[in-house]
Amino acid sequence: TGFKENIIVPNTYFVDEPLWFKGSTKAKKSWKTMGNINEIDALAWSSNVYMFRIAMKLAGVEYVPHGALNVDLNRFVKTLSTIRRDFGELGLGVKTGLDVPNESDGYKGRDTAPGHLLDACIGQYDTYTPIQLAQYTCTLANMGKKVQPHFLIESFKSDGEGNRYTTYKFKTNIQDDVSSQADAFKQIKAGMRACVTRQMEHHIRIGQKSHMLFIVRQEQLKNMMVIQMLTTQTIYKLVIFQQQKIVNH
């Protein structure tokens, strides 16, 4: 959304720091203060604030410390519609067309408090189904081409002589194509790669309690992979696998 709506270009820097708004007793912040960072840093280190700043610019408001987040209902609806449209082009918040009955499009938030625009940009306002998350991930890997997922590949019937005739064969269906945003996908991939390759301490937090925080240093990651969750708030780095245990699937 940031790239598509011309909010950022490659190597755009924002300051990650706690954001304080009028009437709130808690700051909107990342899991740590990261300072001046670009979009690759934001993805590598799970910056909420970087995404918050994109949301505010998308809504046309400037952040003023301890000031009000001045987003009226019309602007809220317009901005949220843009976010949802752009997310949907990648696979989030819309039905994927999976060949099973009763597919859900997830849950859409309804509260119109201005702060929820910030939440929407980090995946904390709407919720998405597992198949949507899978399609979204594949769309990123495909550089913006959203392909319909499916279970059924082919069906056939046989005659009395043992000859087989195909009655149905799935044809690849491109549902959306935003591959023109090549710079955006290049930077997204660089950020995801940086998450597991940078020479820094990798933090793994499950839940919110401090006794569940563990540190894994870079030298321990030679034969491991860290998977970063799509949402940046609740679980920062989700699981570590021994690479040799990952099967091809």
Side-chain angles (χ1 to χ4, degrees):
T1 297
F3 282 99
K4 186 183 177 186
E5 305 304 326
N6 300 311
I7 304 299
I8 62 173
V9 296
N11 208 35
T12 295
Y13 281 81
F14 293 134
V15 175
D16 181 301
E17 62 184 355
L19 304 181
W20 291 93
F21 296 100
K22 183 178 180 181
S24 177
T25 58
K26 291 184 178 180
K28 301 283 282 186
K29 61 183 181 179
S30 302
W31 63 277
K32 72 172 185 176
T33 299
M34 302 174 191
N36 200 33
I37 59 174
N38 64 14
E39 68 279 6
I40 293 177
D41 301 323
L43 290 170
W45 296 332
S46 297
S47 170
N48 288 347
V49 174
Y50 194 94
M51 309 307 167
F52 294 160
R53 292 191 183 277
I54 288 176
M56 287 188 287
K57 288 185 175 295
L58 190 61
V61 298
E62 291 294 328
Y63 170 65
V64 177
H66 299 284
L69 185 58
N70 292 316
V71 179
D72 61 25
L73 180 60
N74 288 336
R75 185 177 296 180
F76 181 96
V77 171
K78 181 180 179 180
T79 305
L80 183 61
S81 295
T82 299
I83 294 170
R84 284 174 170 168
R85 182 199 64 203
D86 291 351
F87 282 19
E89 289 173 345
L90 301 177
L92 298 176
V94 295
K95 293 182 179 181
T96 67
L98 187 68
D99 47 351
V100 294
N102 304 318
E103 182 187 3
S104 171
D105 59 1
Y107 175 82
K108 289 180 171 55
R110 298 176 182 177
D111 195 313
T112 57
H116 287 312
L117 281 181
L118 312 189
D119 300 330
C121 273
I122 61 169
Q124 296 289 320
Y125 183 62
D126 294 339
T127 59
Y128 311 113
T129 66
I131 192 63
Q132 287 175 1
L133 296 176
Q135 186 182 50
Y136 162 79
T137 304
C138 290
T139 305
L140 297 182
N142 290 334
M143 297 292 286
K145 291 184 178 181
K146 187 174 78 170
V147 180
Q148 178 186 350
H150 61 99
F151 289 118
L152 181 61
I153 299 175
E154 183 179 7
S155 65
F156 58 89
K157 65 179 180 179
S158 300
D159 61 19
E161 298 179 357
N163 298 311
R164 191 173 76 172
Y165 301 93
T166 298
T167 59
Y168 170 84
K169 188 172 184 178
F170 180 83
K171 295 181 179 180
T172 300
N173 179 24
I174 306 297
Q175 297 174 312
D176 261 309
D177 187 349
V178 289
S179 57
S180 60
Q181 299 290 323
D183 285 343
F185 293 107
K186 180 181 177 181
Q187 296 303 91
I188 289 168
K189 286 187 174 183
M192 290 182 169
R193 181 171 180 79
C195 178
V196 297
T197 59
R198 286 190 171 181
Q199 297 296 319
M200 62 170 288
E201 290 184 337
H202 291 258
H203 297 255
I204 301 139
R205 185 189 295 271
I206 302 177
Q208 295 294 321
K209 296 182 180 180
S210 60
H211 70 270
M212 299 184 76
L213 175 65
F214 304 90
I215 305 300
V216 177
R217 299 187 182 277
Q218 183 69 32
E219 59 266 25
Q220 294 176 280
L221 295 176
K222 292 179 181 178
N223 295 312
M224 297 181 181
M225 177 165 51
V226 175
I227 297 176
Q228 185 174 23
M229 198 172 178
L230 295 174
T231 181
T232 58
Q233 181 74 21
T234 304
I235 303 178
Y236 301 110
K237 301 291 182 294
L238 184 60
V239 183
I240 291 183
F241 295 97
Q242 291 289 344
Q243 202 166 29
Q244 59 268 28
K245 293 183 181 178
I246 299 177
V247 297
N248 192 9
H249 61 282

